[in-house]
Amino acid sequence: PRTDLSQTLRRLDGNSYGAYKQLKGSWRIGDAQLLLDRVQSDPYAPPSLARVRLPLATAGFPQALIATKDRRVAAGDFLTRQFSRVARDLGPRGGKDTGGISIQRTGQEILERSSVLVPDPSAPDAHVEVRCEIALPAAGRRIKGHAAQRLLMEVLPGVVDRALRYANLDARALEAHVTAHLDAQHLREQLPQRGLVAFVADGAVLPRASGHREEPLAHGAVPFVTPPELRVELELEDGSRVSGMGIPEGVTVIVGGGYHGKSTLLQALERGVYSHVPGDGRERVVALPSAMSVRAEDGRSVSHTDVSPFITNLPTGADTRDFSTSNASGSTSQAAATVEAVEAEAAVLLLDEDTCATNLMVRDERMRAMVPGEREPITPFVDRVGALHTERGVSSILVTGGSGAFLDVADLVIAMDAYRALDVTDRAREVVREFPRPGDMRPAESFGELRVHVPTGGSVNDAARSGSGRGPDSTHGSDRRGDREKPARGRGLDTIQLGREDVDVSALAQLVDPSQTEAVARLLEEVQRAADGQTPLTRLVDDALDRVARDGLDALAHHRGHPGHLALPRAQDVAAAYHRVRR
Ligand code: ADP
Ligand code: MG
């Protein structure tokens, strides 16, 4: 690394902004190393990409704190938040003339992120590495060398000191963050052996600040209380016990009046596939990691999905075992999403009447009389949900306030009553006796065989970069120039730009962080590249994620150095995004 950053910046003062490019490379600042991987070409371009490496020995983290992968993931997530806070506190307030320092944004979930890498303490030459953005200061289109000097040589080391040196951190907050993740992981691990698919601890705070804010509701939240029939005790990481509601495998129906907290409970379970930060309220609300939220999404594209368990005999004569449309209806989109989740090995499906297509869920007695079975292409979910569990081992948790049809097939019925959960399974059995189901409502014995989804090779985006293998130079060669060949990227939480196409992933409720969307974008590219017309989609996705598990999120980098903002998504969400690509 070079040591003359100070002189270089003074020399550059007043030069045209482009001369900042000379900073590209590696610099020594005290005991840290600054790597400027990409330097912005003008003050209005996205900020420059930098990494700061600090030897683990000087960062001073206790070995035990970061001894396992889960611990390092949680610590990295904590340090990202800390870096962001300190950069805001110490840094200039981000005008073009002062520049600024920033890092990947975070939400309520603890995720594996590319922003701070905490090393395995047993690795040789272990470093803590931060990936941040630095907007280099400008006066008009000229370099402000002195401001840059202050930013890079005073502010940045100050931020690093307060964000990355163990001695300067709130050790208890760090410990709590790591513990929250370990506890949640441990709770999740215990679910299968207890025959559970989800768990909500007593005292959990489920409601959120608002429909668009994931922080806990600040005032008037009613903490969760477990109905006695459903009480279980699970173990935390340190061996202590926590009591709460266990939701067993099978078909669970959540009923209750409007506005009594049904959707709030289901959404907490949806997010229970991730760990939450201390203070979130849902730290001890967990679901099996593969739990998949399924909803109707009219207008989405469906490509070669076998929707035959739900839809057969379309009037058009289309083959529903190999169904494609660029504009699905509510029911077909939900049928596709359900089948895709099952194929992606989701162990639980989560459905909310608020976002489901009624005609895919149920058909009532009168409608069964009006439209004879052989004229109706749809076999409703209520007829398949039982076999889905008994035959395929896929449980369902569904919220319904409007239809009692699912009471027949429910193993467990939970009522939400003024935010209180009650076990009303016995009452539901009585109701079913009192109001028997229509004679021709016949739960299917079998879910039906599914055709395995095998992506064909040679998609649009693939063709654009044919010949670009994954050799050492392919990630930053000249083969990516031009519009068609732009690398896939995430745009915010809800859109993936893949080739010329914008893939809408807004219906994926469990994609919770824009950095996950970015990672999904790059994974889609890998899946497309690896598609050979023989390997099933699930296998392609698993292979790509295995590589990430082995080499870290950096395996998804388009360039050497700073990999961009990445956070780990689930295989189910990658597959679901793949299915939304228009072909
Ligand atoms: P439902 O789906 O039964 O109609 P929701 O889950 O949408 O009801 O909840 C209705 C409202 O009540 C929402 O504003 C939600 O934030 C709030 N809410 C849900 N659970 C609680 C709770 N435990 N304490 C306080 N408010 C809650
Ligand atoms: Mg609702």
Side-chain angles (χ1 to χ4, degrees):
R2 293 166 62 185
T3 52
D4 56 338
L5 183 56
S6 185
Q7 295 92 302
T8 308
L9 288 170
R10 256 179 281 140
R11 181 164 54 72
L12 290 178
D13 186 49
N15 278 10
S16 81
Y17 198 89
Y20 266 138
K21 293 267 182 203
Q22 295 172 29
L23 297 180
K24 192 162 179 246
S26 160
W27 305 86
R28 177 142 308 285
I29 305 177
D31 54 4
Q33 187 188 1
L34 168 66
L35 295 114
L36 281 160
D37 291 323
R38 309 199 101 194
V39 178
Q40 62 202 115
S41 49
D42 70 78
Y44 303 94
S48 304
L49 301 183
R51 289 175 293 148
V52 180
R53 284 164 61 82
L54 197 61
L56 182 61
T58 62
F61 291 92
Q63 300 231 343
L65 181 70
I66 55 172
T68 64
K69 171 86 188 276
D70 278 343
R71 287 174 166 274
R72 293 191 284 276
V73 164
D77 182 278
F78 178 87
L79 296 176
T80 301
R81 295 164 198 269
Q82 179 70 8
F83 190 96
S84 172
R85 252 191 313 272
V86 179
R88 231 181 4 253
D89 290 353
L90 298 186
R93 281 219 183 248
K96 298 282 170 237
D97 52 335
T98 55
I101 301 171
S102 57
I103 196 166
Q104 178 175 330
R105 280 177 211 278
T106 53
Q108 294 298 102
E109 285 80 22
I110 297 173
L111 298 174
E112 180 172 348
R113 302 175 185 279
S114 61
S115 44
V116 177
L117 295 194
V118 176
D120 181 341
S122 66
D125 190 36
H127 282 72
V128 178
E129 184 171 313
V130 174
R131 287 75 182 274
C132 60
E133 286 76 61
I134 302 180
L136 293 165
R141 291 191 180 272
R142 306 223 153 256
I143 287 175
K144 278 183 87 173
H146 298 283
Q149 190 184 340
R150 199 161 52 248
L151 187 65
L152 295 178
M153 306 200 61
E154 290 169 32
V155 178
L156 182 61
V159 173
V160 168
D161 275 349
R162 279 187 39 196
L164 297 185
R165 288 187 209 271
Y166 184 71
N168 298 333
L169 295 171
D170 180 344
R172 287 178 57 183
L174 170 53
E175 184 73 44
H177 204 86
V178 171
T179 302
H181 184 45
L182 297 181
D183 280 345
Q185 292 282 67
H186 195 54
L187 291 173
R188 259 174 234 119
E189 279 163 18
Q190 292 162 75
L191 296 175
Q193 70 216 43
R194 302 290 294 266
L196 303 175
V197 296
F199 173 80
V200 184
D202 277 315
V205 172
L206 307 186
R208 299 295 96 191
S210 77
H212 305 280
R213 300 259 318 276
E214 277 291 314
E215 294 86 25
L217 180 63
H219 301 288
V222 178
F224 189 80
V225 178
T226 303
E229 302 87 339
L230 299 176
R231 178 174 308 274
V232 295
E233 276 198 350
L234 297 182
E235 201 179 70
L236 297 177
E237 181 65 14
D238 66 359
S240 61
R241 308 201 133 251
V242 55
S243 73
M245 177 173 80
I247 300 183
E249 292 165 4
V251 178
T252 297
V253 175
I254 302 172
V255 302
Y259 220 69
H260 279 255
K262 303 184 296 297
S263 297
T264 303
L265 172 59
L266 195 81
Q267 282 158 16
L269 299 177
E270 240 165 52
R271 297 280 180 133
V273 300
Y274 300 117
S275 303
H276 291 95
V277 299
D280 175 83
R282 301 167 298 183
E283 296 94 313
R284 294 169 182 179
V285 179
V286 296
L288 290 177
S290 65
M292 193 69 187
S293 156
V294 168
R295 57 171 294 172
E297 183 189 354
D298 61 313
R300 70 161 273 197
S301 89
V302 176
S303 172
H304 301 293
T305 296
D306 179 356
V307 295
S308 62
F310 299 108
I311 301 175
T312 47
N313 301 327
L314 284 175
T316 57
D319 179 6
T320 59
R321 287 182 54 79
D322 185 0
F323 184 75
S324 297
T325 173
S326 61
N327 186 7
S329 66
S331 54
T332 47
S333 64
Q334 191 179 329
T338 307
V339 168
E340 289 159 3
V342 170
E343 194 187 3
E345 287 163 13
V348 199
L349 306 181
L350 306 171
L351 302 104
D352 189 333
E353 63 181 354
D354 293 353
T355 49
C356 282
T358 307
N359 60 336
L360 190 77
M361 295 297 275
V362 293
R363 181 144 16 95
D364 72 9
E365 195 164 12
R366 286 179 172 172
M367 210 39 93
R368 285 180 201 254
M370 277 295 289
V371 184
E374 68 271 16
R375 302 294 300 168
E376 170 54 72
I378 295 179
T379 303
F381 188 70
V382 68
D383 287 350
R384 293 277 187 217
V385 66
L388 201 50
H389 177 236
T390 51
E391 186 182 72
R392 293 202 160 236
V394 180
S395 298
S396 296
I397 302 177
L398 35 106
V399 162
T400 165
S403 164
F406 282 93
L407 297 183
D408 285 291
V409 292
D411 298 305
L412 172 69
V413 184
I414 297 171
M416 291 306 288
D417 180 23
Y419 314 136
R420 298 272 178 218
L422 306 169
D423 180 346
V424 296
T425 312
D426 290 342
R427 172 77 189 122
R429 302 256 186 273
E430 283 169 29
V431 170
V432 165
R433 271 195 300 276
E434 219 171 307
F435 305 93
R437 67 170 173 233
D440 71 340
M441 175 184 154
R442 254 173 245 107
E445 310 256 297
S446 169
F447 184 71
E449 280 305 306
L450 285 183
R451 199 178 46 81
V452 174
H453 190 103
V454 178
T456 52
S459 65
V460 179
N461 220 43
D462 220 26
R465 66 175 60 109
S466 61
S468 87
R470 239 196 120 82
D473 291 324
S474 68
T475 48
H476 48 116
S478 58
D479 56 324
R480 300 253 170 127
R481 298 241 177 81
D483 194 42
R484 269 165 63 83
E485 303 173 29
K486 273 203 184 120
R489 63 185 189 100
R491 267 212 324 265
L493 181 60
D494 290 338
T495 308
I496 288 171
Q497 206 177 306
L498 187 67
R500 286 180 178 170
E501 181 181 344
D502 283 344
V503 184
D504 179 1
V505 290
S506 57
L508 305 184
Q510 291 156 301
L511 213 50
V512 297
D513 190 305
S515 299
Q516 282 184 312
T517 309
E518 177 67 37
V520 172
R522 300 182 190 194
L523 285 158
L524 290 187
E525 228 173 27
E526 288 214 6
V527 166
Q528 288 195 334
R529 202 180 296 127
D532 56 4
Q534 285 169 16
T535 315
L537 176 65
T538 43
R539 184 54 204 291
L540 293 170
V541 171
D542 286 347
D543 286 351
L545 284 171
D546 282 349
R547 210 165 67 80
V548 172
R550 203 170 55 241
D551 302 338
L553 283 163
D554 285 11
L556 302 177
H558 284 136
H559 304 274
R560 283 186 209 284
H562 192 310
H565 296 165
L566 302 171
L568 189 66
R570 304 181 310 149
Q572 285 75 21
D573 291 315
V574 179
Y578 178 88
H579 284 296
R580 284 163 176 76
V581 177
R582 291 173 191 277
R583 272 173 283 265

